[in-house]
Coordinates of all heavy atoms in Angstrom, one line a residue:
A1 N 0.3 -69.7 -29.8 CA 0.0 -70.6 -28.5 C -0.3 -69.5 -27.4 O -1.1 -69.8 -26.5 CB 1.1 -71.5 -28.2
R2 N 0.3 -68.4 -27.5 CA 0.2 -67.4 -26.4 C -1.2 -66.7 -26.5 O -1.6 -65.9 -25.6 CB 1.3 -66.4 -26.3 CG 2.6 -66.8 -25.8 CD 3.6 -65.8 -25.5 NE 3.8 -65.0 -26.7 CZ 4.9 -65.3 -27.5 NH1 5.7 -66.3 -27.3 NH2 5.1 -64.5 -28.6
H3 N -1.9 -66.9 -27.6 CA -3.2 -66.2 -27.9 C -4.3 -67.2 -27.8 O -5.3 -67.2 -28.4 CB -3.1 -65.5 -29.2 CG -2.3 -64.3 -29.1 ND1 -0.9 -64.3 -29.3 CD2 -2.6 -63.0 -28.7 CE1 -0.4 -63.1 -29.1 NE2 -1.4 -62.3 -28.7
Q4 N -4.1 -68.2 -26.9 CA -5.2 -69.1 -26.5 C -5.8 -68.9 -25.2 O -5.1 -68.3 -24.3 CB -4.7 -70.5 -26.5 CG -4.2 -71.1 -27.8 CD -3.8 -72.5 -27.6 OE1 -4.6 -73.4 -27.8 NE2 -2.5 -72.7 -27.2
F5 N -7.0 -69.2 -24.9 CA -7.6 -69.1 -23.5 C -7.6 -70.5 -22.9 O -7.5 -71.5 -23.5 CB -9.0 -68.5 -23.7 CG -9.0 -67.2 -24.2 CD1 -9.0 -66.9 -25.4 CD2 -9.1 -66.0 -23.2 CE1 -9.1 -65.5 -25.9 CE2 -9.0 -64.8 -23.7 CZ -9.1 -64.5 -25.0
K6 N -7.7 -70.6 -21.6 CA -7.8 -71.8 -20.9 C -8.8 -72.9 -21.4 O -8.6 -74.1 -21.4 CB -8.0 -71.7 -19.4 CG -6.8 -71.1 -18.7 CD -7.2 -70.9 -17.2 CE -6.1 -70.1 -16.5 NZ -6.4 -69.9 -15.1
D7 N -10.0 -72.3 -21.9 CA -11.0 -73.2 -22.4 C -10.7 -73.7 -23.8 O -11.6 -74.5 -24.3 CB -12.4 -72.5 -22.3 CG -12.5 -71.4 -23.3 OD1 -11.6 -71.1 -24.1 OD2 -13.5 -70.8 -23.2
G8 N -9.6 -73.4 -24.3 CA -9.2 -73.8 -25.7 C -9.6 -72.9 -26.9 O -9.2 -73.2 -27.9
S9 N -10.3 -71.9 -26.6 CA -10.7 -70.9 -27.6 C -9.5 -70.0 -27.8 O -8.6 -70.1 -27.0 CB -12.0 -70.1 -27.3 OG -11.7 -69.4 -26.0
V10 N -9.6 -69.2 -28.9 CA -8.4 -68.4 -29.2 C -9.1 -67.0 -29.7 O -10.2 -66.9 -30.0 CB -7.6 -68.9 -30.4 CG1 -7.0 -70.2 -29.9 CG2 -8.3 -69.1 -31.7
Y11 N -8.1 -66.1 -29.8 CA -8.4 -64.8 -30.5 C -8.5 -65.1 -32.0 O -7.6 -65.7 -32.6 CB -7.4 -63.7 -30.3 CG -7.6 -62.9 -29.1 CD1 -6.5 -62.3 -28.5 CD2 -8.8 -62.6 -28.6 CE1 -6.6 -61.5 -27.3 CE2 -9.0 -61.8 -27.5 CZ -7.9 -61.2 -26.9 OH -8.0 -60.5 -25.8
H12 N -9.5 -64.9 -32.6 CA -9.6 -65.0 -34.1 C -8.7 -64.1 -34.8 O -7.9 -64.4 -35.8 CB -11.0 -64.7 -34.6 CG -11.3 -64.9 -36.1 ND1 -11.1 -66.1 -36.7 CD2 -11.6 -64.0 -37.1 CE1 -11.4 -65.9 -38.0 NE2 -11.7 -64.6 -38.2
W13 N -8.5 -62.9 -34.3 CA -7.4 -61.9 -34.7 C -7.1 -61.1 -33.5 O -7.9 -61.0 -32.5 CB -7.9 -61.0 -35.8 CG -9.2 -60.3 -35.7 CD1 -10.4 -60.7 -36.2 CD2 -9.4 -59.1 -34.9 NE1 -11.4 -59.8 -35.7 CE2 -10.8 -58.8 -35.0 CE3 -8.6 -58.3 -34.2 CZ2 -11.3 -57.7 -34.3 CZ3 -9.1 -57.2 -33.5 CH2 -10.5 -56.9 -33.7
W14 N -5.9 -60.5 -33.4 CA -5.5 -59.5 -32.4 C -4.6 -58.4 -33.0 O -3.8 -58.7 -34.0 CB -4.9 -60.2 -31.2 CG -3.6 -60.8 -31.5 CD1 -2.4 -60.2 -31.2 CD2 -3.3 -62.1 -31.9 NE1 -1.4 -61.1 -31.6 CE2 -1.9 -62.1 -32.0 CE3 -4.0 -63.2 -32.4 CZ2 -1.3 -63.3 -32.4 CZ3 -3.4 -64.3 -32.9 CH2 -2.1 -64.3 -32.9
H15 N -4.5 -57.4 -32.3 CA -3.6 -56.3 -32.7 C -2.3 -56.5 -31.8 O -2.5 -56.5 -30.6 CB -4.2 -54.9 -32.6 CG -5.1 -54.7 -33.7 ND1 -4.8 -54.2 -34.9 CD2 -6.4 -54.7 -33.7 CE1 -5.8 -54.1 -35.7 NE2 -6.9 -54.4 -34.9
P16 N -1.1 -56.4 -32.3 CA 0.0 -56.8 -31.6 C 0.4 -55.8 -30.5 O 1.0 -56.2 -29.5 CB 1.2 -56.9 -32.7 CG 0.7 -56.2 -33.8 CD -0.8 -56.2 -33.8
I17 N 0.2 -54.6 -30.7 CA 0.6 -53.5 -29.7 C -0.4 -53.5 -28.5 O 0.0 -53.5 -27.4 CB 0.8 -52.1 -30.4 CG1 1.9 -52.2 -31.3 CG2 1.1 -51.1 -29.3 CD1 2.1 -50.9 -32.2
T18 N -1.7 -53.5 -28.8 CA -2.6 -53.3 -27.8 C -3.1 -54.7 -27.2 O -3.7 -54.7 -26.1 CB -4.0 -52.5 -28.3 OG1 -4.5 -53.4 -29.4 CG2 -3.5 -51.2 -28.7
E19 N -2.9 -55.7 -28.0 CA -3.4 -57.0 -27.7 C -4.9 -57.1 -27.6 O -5.6 -58.0 -27.1 CB -2.8 -57.6 -26.3 CG -1.4 -57.9 -26.4 CD -1.1 -59.1 -27.3 OE1 -1.8 -60.0 -27.4 OE2 -0.1 -58.9 -28.1
I20 N -5.6 -56.2 -28.2 CA -7.0 -56.2 -28.4 C -7.3 -57.1 -29.5 O -6.7 -57.1 -30.6 CB -7.6 -54.7 -28.7 CG1 -7.4 -53.9 -27.5 CG2 -9.1 -54.9 -29.2 CD1 -7.7 -52.4 -27.9
G21 N -8.3 -58.0 -29.3 CA -8.6 -59.0 -30.3 C -10.1 -59.4 -30.2 O -10.9 -59.0 -29.3
L22 N -10.5 -60.3 -31.2 CA -11.8 -60.9 -31.2 C -11.8 -62.3 -30.7 O -11.2 -63.1 -31.4 CB -12.2 -60.8 -32.7 CG -13.6 -61.5 -32.9 CD1 -14.7 -60.8 -32.2 CD2 -13.9 -61.6 -34.4
H23 N -12.3 -62.4 -29.6 CA -12.4 -63.8 -28.9 C -13.7 -64.4 -29.4 O -14.8 -64.0 -29.2 CB -12.4 -63.6 -27.4 CG -12.4 -64.9 -26.7 ND1 -12.7 -64.9 -25.3 CD2 -12.1 -66.2 -27.0 CE1 -12.6 -66.2 -25.0 NE2 -12.2 -66.9 -25.9
N24 N -13.6 -65.6 -30.1 CA -14.8 -66.3 -30.5 C -14.5 -67.8 -30.5 O -13.4 -68.3 -30.1 CB -15.2 -65.9 -31.9 CG -14.2 -66.1 -33.0 OD1 -13.3 -67.0 -32.9 ND2 -14.3 -65.3 -34.2
N25 N -15.4 -68.6 -31.0 CA -15.3 -70.0 -31.1 C -15.3 -70.6 -32.3 O -15.9 -71.7 -32.6 CB -16.3 -70.7 -30.1 CG -16.2 -70.4 -28.7 OD1 -15.0 -70.5 -28.1 ND2 -17.2 -69.8 -28.0
M26 N -14.8 -69.9 -33.3 CA -14.8 -70.4 -34.8 C -13.8 -71.7 -34.7 O -12.7 -71.7 -34.4 CB -14.2 -69.4 -35.7 CG -15.0 -68.2 -35.8 SD -14.4 -67.0 -36.8 CE -15.1 -67.5 -38.4
S27 N -14.4 -72.9 -35.1 CA -13.7 -74.1 -35.0 C -12.6 -74.3 -35.9 O -11.6 -75.0 -35.5 CB -14.8 -75.3 -35.2 OG -15.2 -75.1 -36.5
D28 N -12.5 -73.6 -37.0 CA -11.4 -73.8 -37.9 C -10.1 -73.2 -37.4 O -9.0 -73.6 -37.6 CB -11.6 -73.3 -39.3 CG -12.0 -71.8 -39.5 OD1 -12.6 -71.3 -38.5 OD2 -11.7 -71.3 -40.4
N29 N -10.2 -72.1 -36.5 CA -9.1 -71.5 -35.8 C -8.4 -72.6 -35.0 O -7.1 -72.7 -35.0 CB -9.5 -70.5 -34.9 CG -9.8 -69.1 -35.6 OD1 -9.3 -68.9 -36.7 ND2 -10.7 -68.3 -35.0
L30 N -9.1 -73.5 -34.3 CA -8.5 -74.4 -33.4 C -7.7 -75.6 -34.1 O -6.9 -76.2 -33.5 CB -9.7 -75.1 -32.6 CG -10.5 -74.0 -31.9 CD1 -11.6 -74.6 -31.0 CD2 -9.7 -73.1 -31.0
L31 N -8.1 -75.8 -35.4 CA -7.4 -76.8 -36.1 C -5.9 -76.5 -36.6 O -5.2 -77.3 -36.8 CB -8.2 -77.3 -37.3 CG -9.6 -77.7 -37.1 CD1 -10.3 -77.8 -38.4 CD2 -9.7 -79.0 -36.3
W32 N -5.7 -75.2 -36.8 CA -4.4 -74.8 -37.4 C -3.3 -74.9 -36.4 O -2.2 -75.2 -36.9 CB -4.5 -73.5 -38.0 CG -5.3 -73.5 -39.3 CD1 -6.6 -73.2 -39.5 CD2 -4.8 -74.0 -40.5 NE1 -7.0 -73.4 -40.7 CE2 -5.9 -73.9 -41.4 CE3 -3.6 -74.4 -40.8 CZ2 -5.7 -74.4 -42.7 CZ3 -3.4 -74.9 -42.2 CH2 -4.5 -74.8 -43.1
L33 N -3.3 -74.7 -35.2 CA -2.2 -74.8 -34.3 C -1.7 -76.3 -34.4 O -0.4 -76.5 -34.6 CB -2.4 -74.4 -33.0 CG -1.2 -74.3 -32.0 CD1 -0.2 -73.3 -32.6 CD2 -1.7 -73.6 -30.6
P34 N -2.5 -77.3 -34.0 CA -1.9 -78.7 -34.1 C -1.5 -79.0 -35.5 O -0.4 -79.9 -35.6 CB -3.0 -79.5 -33.6 CG -4.3 -78.6 -33.6 CD -3.8 -77.3 -33.6
F35 N -2.1 -78.6 -36.5 CA -1.7 -78.9 -37.9 C -0.4 -78.4 -38.2 O 0.5 -79.1 -38.8 CB -2.7 -78.4 -38.9 CG -2.4 -78.6 -40.3 CD1 -2.7 -79.9 -40.8 CD2 -1.9 -77.7 -41.1 CE1 -2.4 -80.2 -42.2 CE2 -1.6 -77.9 -42.5 CZ -1.8 -79.2 -43.0
V36 N 0.0 -77.1 -37.9 CA 1.3 -76.6 -38.2 C 2.3 -77.1 -37.2 O 3.4 -77.3 -37.7 CB 1.1 -75.0 -38.1 CG1 2.6 -74.4 -38.2 CG2 0.2 -74.4 -39.1
V37 N 2.0 -77.5 -36.1 CA 2.9 -78.0 -35.2 C 3.3 -79.4 -35.7 O 4.5 -79.8 -35.7 CB 2.4 -78.2 -33.7 CG1 3.2 -79.2 -32.9 CG2 2.3 -76.9 -33.0
A38 N 2.3 -80.2 -36.2 CA 2.6 -81.5 -36.8 C 3.5 -81.4 -38.0 O 4.5 -82.2 -38.2 CB 1.3 -82.3 -37.2
N39 N 3.3 -80.4 -38.8 CA 4.1 -80.2 -40.0 C 5.5 -79.6 -39.6 O 6.5 -80.1 -40.2 CB 3.5 -79.1 -40.9 CG 2.3 -79.8 -41.7 OD1 2.1 -81.0 -41.8 ND2 1.5 -78.8 -42.2
Y40 N 5.6 -78.8 -38.6 CA 6.9 -78.5 -38.1 C 7.7 -79.6 -37.6 O 8.9 -79.7 -37.9 CB 6.7 -77.3 -37.0 CG 7.9 -76.9 -36.4 CD1 8.7 -76.0 -36.9 CD2 8.3 -77.4 -35.1 CE1 9.9 -75.6 -36.3 CE2 9.5 -77.1 -34.4 CZ 10.3 -76.1 -35.1 OH 11.5 -75.8 -34.4
L41 N 7.1 -80.5 -36.8 CA 7.8 -81.5 -36.2 C 8.3 -82.5 -37.3 O 9.4 -83.1 -37.3 CB 6.9 -82.3 -35.2 CG 6.6 -81.6 -33.9 CD1 5.5 -82.3 -33.1 CD2 7.9 -81.3 -33.2
A42 N 7.4 -82.7 -38.3 CA 7.8 -83.6 -39.4 C 9.0 -83.0 -40.2 O 9.9 -83.8 -40.6 CB 6.7 -83.8 -40.3
E43 N 9.0 -81.7 -40.3 CA 10.1 -81.1 -41.1 C 11.4 -81.0 -40.3 O 12.5 -81.1 -40.8 CB 9.7 -79.6 -41.4 CG 10.7 -78.9 -42.3 CD 10.8 -79.4 -43.8 OE1 9.8 -79.9 -44.3 OE2 11.8 -79.1 -44.4
T44 N 11.3 -80.8 -38.9 CA 12.6 -80.5 -38.2 C 13.0 -81.5 -37.1 O 14.1 -81.4 -36.6 CB 12.3 -79.1 -37.4 OG1 11.2 -79.3 -36.4 CG2 11.9 -78.0 -38.3
D45 N 12.0 -82.3 -36.7 CA 12.2 -83.3 -35.6 C 12.6 -82.5 -34.2 O 13.1 -83.1 -33.3 CB 13.3 -84.3 -35.9 CG 13.0 -85.3 -36.9 OD1 11.8 -85.8 -36.8 OD2 13.8 -85.7 -37.7

């Protein structure tokens, strides 16, 4: 979630020490955060 931009795009990848990353608009990246959050909520409440 901390690797999202205000416009909804994300880093496709990033390096943890430098925070250098590839900012793009690949649509499948955007699907995974809500999908995993939904699975997390279903598992943990």
Side-chain angles (χ1 to χ4, degrees):
R2 286 192 302 269
H3 287 85
Q4 294 183 94
F5 293 87
K6 288 181 187 178
D7 67 2
S9 62
V10 301
Y11 272 151
H12 182 62
W13 56 259
W14 72 91
H15 288 279
I17 295 173
T18 63
E19 291 296 321
I20 294 171
L22 175 63
H23 183 194
N24 65 22
N25 292 311
M26 295 179 88
S27 61
D28 61 327
N29 283 334
L30 307 180
L31 301 173
W32 281 101
L33 188 58
F35 180 79
V36 175
V37 167
N39 287 340
Y40 173 80
L41 293 173
E43 182 76 24
T44 66
D45 289 327

